[in-house]
């Protein structure tokens, strides 16, 4: 199985930036989800393959968040700019073996807290 380790979360003031990292134990198609307390987990951003250029974003983060990857390091990043209090959540890195599979591998999560 693919093991995922997230890092980069923290406390930031509204309007600030954070960069999350997720290191994978092997190659996979990766993405980011988030979950606020008492709410359902939601999709944030995804990238379809290690060699492809396709990226996808939730409407709520378009123009503010950017997902990228370093194929050599099996690492995916989430650059978060112009953060808002509503971005506060536990952010999870996720992976799937191919683009027609559901995300099946999950990291433990990294907390992002945005203060006003």
């Amino acid at each position: 199985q693919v093991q995922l380790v997230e890092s980069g979360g923290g406390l930031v003031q509204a309007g600030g930036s954070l960069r999350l990292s997720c290191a994978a134990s092997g190659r996979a198609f990766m993405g980011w989800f988030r979950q606020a307390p008492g709410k359902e987990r939601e999709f944030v951003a995804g990238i379809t393959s290690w060699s492809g250029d396709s990226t996808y974003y939730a409407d709520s983060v378009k123009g503010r968040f950017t997902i990228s990857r370093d194929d050599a390091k099996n690492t995916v990043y989430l650059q978060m700019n112009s953060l808002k209090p509503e971005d506060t959540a536990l952010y999870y890195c996720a992976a799937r073996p191919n683009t027609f599979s559901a995300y099946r591998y999950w990291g433990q999560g990294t907390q992002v807290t945005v203060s006003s």
Side-chain angles (χ1 to χ4, degrees):
Q1 66 174 8
V2 176
Q3 295 181 348
L4 306 172
V5 180
E6 303 106 325
S7 63
L11 175 65
V12 65
Q13 188 176 355
S17 299
L18 285 173
R19 188 191 189 206
L20 307 183
S21 299
C22 176
S25 62
R27 285 205 162 201
F29 302 149
M30 301 168 69
W32 291 93
F33 291 73
R34 67 186 182 186
Q35 187 171 23
K39 298 183 179 180
E40 294 185 352
R41 186 174 298 181
E42 64 175 344
F43 170 81
V44 175
I47 190 161
T48 56
S49 71
W50 291 102
S51 59
D53 296 326
S54 296
T55 56
Y56 303 87
Y57 299 93
D59 288 342
S60 59
V61 306
K62 285 181 179 178
R64 300 188 298 121
F65 291 11
T66 303
I67 187 171
S68 61
R69 61 177 178 255
D70 185 333
D71 291 350
K73 299 182 181 296
N74 290 338
T75 299
V76 67
Y77 305 94
L78 185 67
Q79 178 67 46
M80 305 184 294
N81 298 326
S82 301
L83 283 163
K84 305 174 181 179
E86 50 263 45
D87 294 318
T88 296
L90 189 64
Y91 283 70
Y92 295 92
C93 179
R96 53 184 178 173
N98 49 63
T99 57
F100 50 85
S101 298
Y103 287 96
R104 62 182 64 180
Y105 306 112
W106 299 87
Q108 294 302 118
T110 184
Q111 179 67 39
V112 172
T113 302
V114 184
S115 64
S116 60

